[in-house]
Amino acid sequence: GAVVSQHPSRVICKSGTSVKIECRSLDFQATTMFWYRQFPKKSLMLMATSNEGSKATYEQGVEKDKFLINHASLTLSTLTVTSAHPEDSSFYICSARARGSTYNEQFFGPGTRLTVL
Amino acid sequence: AQSVTQLGSHVSVSEGALVLLRCNYSSSVPPYLFWYVQYPNQGLQLLLKYTSAATLVKGINGFEAEFKKSETSFHLTKPSAHMSDAAEYFCAVITYGQNFVFGPGTRLSVLP
């Protein structure tokens, strides 16, 4: 149980285009989903937290107009990188917290490698 | 605020040798602690977790970790390293109502 999927696993796009990444909880309801960014050989950096049906909360320094997050249902959150540029190239990982989680455990997706040319 | 430090950004061991990856945390309230492993271009896989039950926690792939409150540590060990253990390891702390805080990671290399 507690499986989180991400789609696509890898995407290459041209500079200026927008890219959407999906994060799904496959076998549980996720009241809260998280989006992380990971630079090469670095740890995970929390970008934003989203609760189902409400606006995402962005961490300091993360451009909310650049990284659009939608959490439309209890099993799906999307991250859209708008007008992507090469500096947006990174590994993006989502995680989900289950409804009723007793100690706030998060379950992580497999990640999406974004390369902007 | 909570924080995590991992001593040693890169650890090398010989195949069959003991693996010891260090993690120290800072938290003003009782924490929950996790170890994750990440293979290249993959997401995080949970190795084990401490959630205020037994202080010695056994995880997958032969790993275990011991929560020591007096030392604010949660070091990860494995008696005998295998080549397949080569990966990046992250320690993380979370307290109720807060988000995960990850350590900087330790890259484990296993030498033949």
Side-chain angles (χ1 to χ4, degrees), chain B residues 11-98:
Chain B
V11 171
S12 291
V13 300
S14 297
E15 190 174 19
L18 171 72
V19 175
L20 170 61
L21 304 182
R22 299 179 186 274
C23 172
N24 288 87
Y25 69 91
S26 172
S27 176
S28 59
V29 297
Y32 301 121
L33 295 157
F34 301 78
W35 274 101
Y36 288 90
V37 61
Q38 185 180 36
Y39 297 99
N41 293 311
Q42 294 187 26
L44 301 182
Q45 180 181 7
L46 179 65
L47 279 177
L48 48 79
K49 61 189 176 187
Y50 166 75
T51 57
S52 73
T55 56
L56 181 61
V57 182
K58 295 187 183 298
I60 62 172
N61 301 340
F63 284 94
E64 64 180 37
E66 186 172 8
F67 172 69
K68 292 187 176 180
K69 183 178 180 180
S70 61
E71 299 177 8
T72 60
S73 68
F74 190 56
H75 302 330
L76 182 70
T77 61
K78 181 174 180 177
S80 177
H82 191 272
M83 297 296 288
S84 61
D85 294 326
E88 190 83 21
Y89 291 81
F90 293 98
C91 182
V93 63
I94 192 170
T95 56
Y96 186 78
Q98 301 298 314

Side-chain angles (χ1 to χ4, degrees), chain A residues 69-81:
Chain A
I69 292 173
N70 183 275
H71 191 164
S73 76
L74 284 171
T75 59
L76 173 65
S77 176
T78 60
L79 168 67
T80 302
V81 183

Side-chain angles (χ1 to χ4, degrees), chain A residues 34 38 43 103-105 110 113, chain B residues 32 38 41 43 49 97 99 103:
Chain A
F34 305 83
Q38 186 179 30
S43 189
Y103 42 80
N104 291 0
E105 182 175 358
R113 172 73 60 191
Chain B
Y32 301 121
Q38 185 180 36
N41 293 311
K49 61 189 176 187
N99 292 325

Side-chain angles (χ1 to χ4, degrees), chain A residues 1-4 26-28 107:
Chain A
V3 177
V4 175
L26 298 185
D27 50 3
F28 67 98
F107 302 97

